[in-house]
DNA sequence: TGACTAAAATGAGCCAGATCAAATAAGGGA
DNA sequence: TCCCTTATTTGATCTGGCTCATTTTAGTCA
């Protein structure tokens, strides 16, 4: 009855030159940091950026490397991971176009604390930390925006700490699925598809479990027909149930 | 042989009027935010602040209350806690003079995400969020500083997430003890004393365990003569061992 | 379309740490 | 110095989720 299935994930193929100077200026204005800048200021700021393309799986920078650049995702998805000595990974964040990563110009912020990897083909802008510091001092609105964004991330990360301590793995998985579908969700025939390649292992690393446990739980969801999944993808069929579980009192 | 023991903790009694306008300006310059401001700018900024005294246990603000003030600890210690529906608490941070809390002026930051409680008698400054926003726009150095501080907290909190997922409770307790002694440590006859009242329950809430488990672990440390403790206080007698445990490969 | 490979699903056993229940003891107050 | 409250300690038991090992797929590629 069913044809051979193939990934419902979009194969994001970025064309050659997509990461060029021309496109760049255009996109820069859409980055939250710079939203309040005038056209001309934007152009000045743009001078300091360099653009670079990455293929899926490329390491953008490594933990422990000397941190000297602030980066902004312009196209594609980028994941941030921390490795531990015991060989466990912690998936800190999955970034979308418009989001920043790398080092903010802070004192003693000499090493990157995490590894950044292109999760799909991606185009990334970068500025030197010193240049960015100048930008911050010159355009207070950029600094305020950066502060807001960072404060927001701090809250999220505190929320995650709270969840890690108090909710079950099942609840936490429901929670990331909700977050991911809010961020990357796209309606498709199989349900609300999370438009990023994401293995069970990666899902587990976001939530703080093992791939096995994550798999068991996803299977359970599937039995109840709340999600549909395959290799590296998950789509949500019953948003309400999943959201309920992610809320308090699952 | 030994006299009746009493808490080695200092009873921080703040005198009346300690929290007055006069003292205030003096202290404001010591707050990291404002370190780079000139005397006269400092005075202008000071206009916007109000000072207020709190006794031990006083609630400074509650989770879910509308957030409208940014606060700065001027004297005493303040703890930030998150409560969960299940009745568990998460102790997010223990603040020292000079540190900020409350709401940064960010969009949609309408509710406090945590409850702030005076852990000792304390003096706290506050500014309206709008006023602070103006300060940020007017003095970029303040904004940059705020950004640095917030980014630093973000890193800490990511580090904590990593630890929660990968280290044992024993390791994590050793880790907070190390952090707390770096921050609040004071040499005393009983060892490097953490100069803040801190119950086992609170220790547990910082680390993500139960009071019982925390107690068992502290007992173990005590047997090895690494720490000495009593009600609401802990002093470290063997910093090296504790630090080793908190490091990787305990 | 069939073969092949890495991802995913499953099974069985085990343990750190949570829970529940009780016994102790620290240290403030009079 | 004694009393009393409430933190702390300790014991016994239970379990979610981790581990290790194996079997099944999904989906790509030729």
């Amino acid at each position: 009855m069913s044809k051979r299935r193939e990934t419902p994930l979009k194969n994001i193929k970025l064309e050659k030159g997509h990461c060029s100077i021309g496109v760049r200026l255009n996109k820069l204005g859409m980055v939250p940091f710079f939203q309040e800048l005038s056209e001309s200021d934007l152009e000045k700021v743009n001078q300091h950026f360099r653009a670079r393309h990455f293929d899926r799986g490329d390491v953008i920078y490594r933990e422990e490397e000397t941190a000297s650049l602030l980066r902004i995702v312009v196209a594609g998805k980028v994941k941030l991971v921390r490795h531990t000595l015991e060989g466990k990974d912690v998936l800190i964040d999955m970034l979308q176009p418009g989001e920043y990563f790398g080092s903010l110009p802070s004192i003693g912020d000499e090493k990157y604390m995490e590894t950044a990897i292109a999760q799909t083909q991606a185009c990334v802008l970068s500025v030197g930390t010193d240049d960015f510091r100048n930008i911050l001092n010159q355009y207070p609105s950029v600094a305020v925006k950066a502060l807001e964004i960072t404060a927001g991330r701090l809250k999220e990360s505190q929320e995650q700490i709270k969840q890690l301590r108090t909710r079950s793995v099942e609840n936490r998985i429901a929670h990331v699925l909700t977050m991911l579908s809010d961020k990357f969700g796209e309606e498709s025939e199989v349900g609300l598809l999370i438009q990023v390649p994401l293995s069970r292992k990666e899902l587990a690393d976001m939530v703080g479990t093992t791939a096995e446990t994550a798999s068991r739980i996803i299977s359970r969801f599937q039995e109840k027909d709340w999600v549909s999944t395959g290799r590296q993808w998950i789509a949500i069929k019953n948003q309400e149930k999943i959201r309920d579980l992610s809320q308090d009192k699952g």
Side-chain angles (χ1 to χ4, degrees), chain A residues 94-111:
Chain A
M94 185 71 79
L95 306 176
Q96 231 182 351
E99 298 193 273
Y100 88 86
F101 62 112
S103 64
L104 280 175
S106 61
I107 311 164
D109 194 13
E110 294 176 349
K111 307 259 182 196

Side-chain angles (χ1 to χ4, degrees), chain A residues 209-243:
Chain A
T209 1
T210 56
E212 291 93 330
T213 299
S215 173
R216 280 183 238 273
I217 286 171
I218 294 294
S219 296
R220 214 182 298 161
F221 287 174
Q222 224 166 353
E223 276 166 29
K224 296 182 182 165
D225 204 39
W226 293 353
V227 303
S228 60
T229 69
R231 283 195 165 196
Q232 316 244 34
W233 62 269
I234 302 180
I236 297 175
K237 295 174 77 174
N238 192 330
Q239 295 183 51
E240 201 170 329
K241 292 287 186 183
I242 295 287
R243 203 172 287 267

Side-chain angles (χ1 to χ4, degrees), chain A residues 18-161:
Chain A
H18 75 98
C19 211
S20 67
I21 302 189
V23 195
R24 203 163 96 192
L25 179 56
N26 196 339
K27 305 275 174 137
L28 210 54
M30 298 171 59
V31 173
F33 279 178
F34 306 119
Q35 260 167 11
E36 292 179 31
L37 294 189
S38 70
E39 193 87 6
S40 65
D41 284 342
L42 207 55
E43 202 151 340
K44 272 185 227 150
V45 166
N46 184 47
Q47 306 287 317
H48 299 287
F49 281 85
R50 282 165 39 92
R52 185 156 155 220
H53 171 88
F54 294 91
D55 280 322
R56 171 160 190 197
D58 283 355
V59 172
I60 302 174
Y61 59 75
R62 280 215 166 69
E63 226 159 328
E64 299 296 310
E65 276 177 22
T66 305
S68 55
L69 297 174
L70 174 92
R71 328 228 182 186
I72 295 175
V73 183
V74 170
K77 319 278 153 83
V78 170
K79 75 171 172 183
L80 304 182
V81 200
R82 274 183 172 219
H83 300 289
T84 68
L85 291 184
E86 301 91 24
K88 304 189 177 185
D89 298 337
V90 177
L91 207 167
I92 295 180
D93 210 348
M94 185 71 79
L95 306 176
Q96 231 182 351
E99 298 193 273
Y100 88 86
F101 62 112
S103 64
L104 280 175
S106 61
I107 311 164
D109 194 13
E110 294 176 349
K111 307 259 182 196
Y112 291 116
M113 301 291 285
E114 72 286 326
T115 299
I117 298 176
Q119 187 74 351
T120 65
Q121 289 196 310
C123 175
V124 171
L125 298 183
S126 59
V127 225
T129 312
D130 292 335
D131 282 348
F132 192 67
R133 181 183 286 275
N134 290 335
I135 293 174
L136 288 179
N137 279 309
Q138 196 165 354
Y139 307 103
S141 81
V142 177
V144 173
K145 207 78 188 178
L147 180 56
E148 282 174 11
I149 294 171
T150 308
R153 287 193 188 176
L154 177 58
K155 294 228 159 139
E156 266 175 45
S157 127
Q158 289 178 346
E159 176 61 29
Q160 208 183 334
I161 291 175

